[in-house]
Amino acid sequence: MPRHGHARTELHVAEASTVQRIPLEQIRVLNPRVRNRQVFARLVENIAALGLKRPITVTPTARGSEAAFEIICGQGRFEAFQALGEKSIPCIVVSANEADRFLISLVENLARRKHSNKDLLSSIQVLSERGYSPREIAEKTSLDVAYINGILMLLRQGEERLIAAVEKGWLPIKVATEIARANDSEVQQAMVEAYETGVLKGDQLIRIRRLIDRRKAMGKRYGQQHHSERMTTPQKLLNAYQAEVRRQRVMIKKADINEQRLLIMVTALRQLLADDYFCTLLRTEDIQDMPKPLADRIHGEMS
């Protein structure tokens, strides 16, 4: 339910709060999660050796419930106390409606651990569906509002491949949104502009080119091709094979053309670098370097 239209509950989890020790039997886990056994075992050992470093966060339940409190954040610590045979656990008690309970859980998890990208994206989407604006989500999660706007647009369009590249850190969110909005010719133009303005470097350009090719051939979502383009007949298999042969022939032809262009460039530069006047001009203009692969090729030709 959107939060607009009702009074906002001001909750500041990071502020100093009174810690209460509450019996475990009075607390319940509303939406329990299955945990990795090894990770949970390490948590139990850590608490047994060092004690509880951070209280769990709970909220009072509605009247008539068997338990007096529900866990907002700290299920693992709560279950570790149960495994250790403890009778009570330190808690921070807050009063919050359903939307604010979700928000508190998200904020505490952001501060407490390195969350997975999938969890973060899911949380951003849920907050948007609950009526929070991109600016409000940015304020609550300490993320840039442009990043939030871009991610929400990519989520709405099902751009799983682009989102994964953004979250891995090698695809700028601005470039990802341009790719999502543009057709093939516009994508090419956007990549040229990004390269010329320095947004993309050489290696990034190659990786993005591969990503765009996979997105075009296999779809925006992972595994999408298997559902929409299954080759169930010999004719489809033959068509796919012939298309791949044509693609490889074109790739070989392009490679030959590029090799010829490179040879011309290397020959021309080799002649220019043998000219003392040209070398003096380069030093005057403070042009002291060139791409290493090209320099190695020229050096090989000259030696």
Side-chain angles (χ1 to χ4, degrees), residues 167-227:
E167 291 307 306
K168 288 177 182 177
W170 59 266
L171 179 64
I173 185 68
K174 182 178 179 181
V175 177
T177 55
E178 290 296 328
I179 293 173
R181 292 191 182 103
N183 56 37
D184 289 346
S185 60
E186 291 171 338
V187 166
Q188 296 291 343
Q189 182 62 31
M191 290 179 63
V192 170
E193 291 178 359
Y195 182 75
E196 291 177 346
T197 56
V199 175
L200 296 179
K201 306 301 181 183
D203 291 343
Q204 284 181 309
L205 198 64
I206 295 173
R207 297 179 73 178
I208 292 173
R209 179 69 268 171
R210 291 173 181 169
L211 171 63
I212 292 172
D213 289 342
R214 287 195 298 269
R215 175 175 173 268
K216 184 177 180 180
M218 305 175 68
K220 301 176 181 180
R221 301 177 184 274
Y222 291 109
Q224 185 172 332
Q225 184 186 37
H226 298 292
H227 297 288

Side-chain angles (χ1 to χ4, degrees), residues 131-146:
Y132 286 82
S133 69
R135 184 169 298 280
E136 289 173 323
I137 296 174
E139 291 174 355
K140 298 299 183 183
T141 59
S142 298
L143 297 171
D144 185 73
V145 66

Side-chain angles (χ1 to χ4, degrees), residues 35-48:
R35 297 182 176 275
N36 182 286
R37 293 183 179 180
Q38 293 182 347
V39 174
F40 179 69
R42 288 197 295 269
L43 175 62
V44 173
E45 292 175 2
N46 185 269
I47 291 178

Side-chain angles (χ1 to χ4, degrees), residues 262-271 294 297-298 301:
L262 180 59
L263 180 60
I264 294 172
M265 184 185 302
V266 168
T267 303
L269 284 173
R270 181 156 53 93
Q271 294 176 354
L294 182 59
R297 189 71 175 260
I298 294 173
E301 293 285 345

Side-chain angles (χ1 to χ4, degrees), residues 233-292:
T233 67
Q235 185 60 44
K236 287 186 177 180
L237 182 60
L238 177 61
N239 292 341
Y241 175 78
Q242 292 174 340
E244 179 63 18
V245 169
R246 288 193 297 270
R247 187 188 70 82
Q248 292 191 15
R249 285 175 177 169
V250 171
M251 182 174 62
I252 292 172
K253 185 176 294 185
K254 288 181 177 179
D256 289 340
I257 293 173
N258 289 331
E259 180 67 20
Q260 294 173 12
R261 289 174 177 173
L262 180 59
L263 180 60
I264 294 172
M265 184 185 302
V266 168
T267 303
L269 284 173
R270 181 156 53 93
Q271 294 176 354
L272 288 171
L273 291 174
D275 187 311
D276 292 338
Y277 178 78
F278 182 75
C279 292
T280 301
L281 179 62
L282 290 178
R283 288 192 295 270
T284 302
E285 297 295 328
D286 196 25
I287 301 175
Q288 304 290 340
D289 56 6
M290 69 175 67
K292 187 176 183 301

Side-chain angles (χ1 to χ4, degrees), residues 147-165:
Y147 176 87
I148 297 295
N149 277 317
I151 286 296
L152 288 174
M153 190 275 282
L154 295 177
L155 286 168
R156 285 193 295 269
Q157 297 192 17
E159 295 282 1
E160 292 181 4
R161 296 181 186 277
L162 295 179
I163 291 172

